[in-house]
Amino acid sequence: QDSGRGRVLLADVVDMNRTSLPHITVNDRSLPFDKDAFDVTVLNFVLHHARDPRRVLREALRVSRRGVIVVESTVSGPVQHKALRIVDQLANRLRSQDKMSRQEDHLHFRPPEGWIKEARSVGATVVEQKRISGLLHPKLVLTVQ
């Protein structure tokens, strides 16, 4: 019976869940869910770690009836790119107790327009975008369908 409340399922390639929310570990190739299994999927700082960001985004769109919210790090030049790479690697090594070092080989930081282009390249429509400034870690929030 639907209680009218939302349900949340966490999924990641590395289990770093520190909450009481349900969590599953997935691979970076496909999601083990049927088409339209969820209302919305949130990719929170996922794509820049993915071996194939387009594949991950296509999978998120496949399992989502109403769209995908993408929250991603952005860069505006080579100095910021290098600094963010160092900070991202250090933070994730500490948070994951070095379980995420495998994802360091695939770091893909892009300017905001680069993430928008990625979304469009898989046939998604950008419904909304919001840029969040920050000297070291600016972000982009995209809603795509």
Side-chain angles (χ1 to χ4, degrees):
Q1 177 180 0
D2 184 4
S3 65
R5 297 186 316 186
R7 293 177 297 173
V8 175
L9 173 65
L10 304 177
D12 205 339
V13 294
V14 175
D15 184 357
M16 295 190 304
N17 185 17
R18 295 182 182 134
T19 73
S20 60
L21 295 170
H23 176 274
I24 66 165
T25 302
V26 296
N27 66 47
D28 65 349
R29 306 297 294 162
S30 62
L31 294 172
F33 308 111
D34 292 335
K35 182 180 184 330
D36 296 335
F38 303 97
D39 288 331
V40 176
T41 299
V42 178
L43 298 175
N44 192 38
F45 301 111
V46 169
L47 294 179
H48 73 271
H49 285 282
R51 179 178 322 159
D52 185 348
R54 289 178 183 173
R55 183 178 188 117
V56 172
L57 187 52
R58 271 194 299 273
E59 276 293 286
L61 286 161
R62 180 184 67 78
V63 302
S64 304
R65 283 187 292 275
R66 298 176 57 202
V68 176
I69 299 170
V70 176
V71 181
E72 256 317 328
S73 304
T74 63
V75 294
S76 61
V79 172
Q80 189 179 50
H81 186 277
K82 186 170 188 140
L84 186 55
R85 183 177 187 87
I86 291 167
V87 169
D88 187 271
Q89 287 175 334
L90 180 61
N92 283 311
R93 284 178 189 177
L94 291 172
R95 278 182 342 110
S96 73
Q97 299 170 340
D98 214 27
K99 293 177 191 168
M100 283 193 62
S101 57
R102 203 171 39 118
Q103 280 71 32
E104 292 176 6
D105 295 340
H106 312 297
L107 288 179
H108 307 281
F109 295 112
R110 291 172 172 66
E113 297 75 22
W115 290 119
I116 293 167
K117 183 178 177 182
E118 288 288 324
R120 290 181 176 148
S121 76
V122 299
T125 300
V126 176
V127 177
E128 187 176 354
Q129 61 178 288
K130 179 179 180 181
R131 296 174 192 217
I132 302 169
S133 62
L135 182 61
L136 181 60
H137 194 210
K139 301 159 200 68
L140 177 68
V141 180
L142 290 178
T143 304
V144 299
Q145 296 177 325

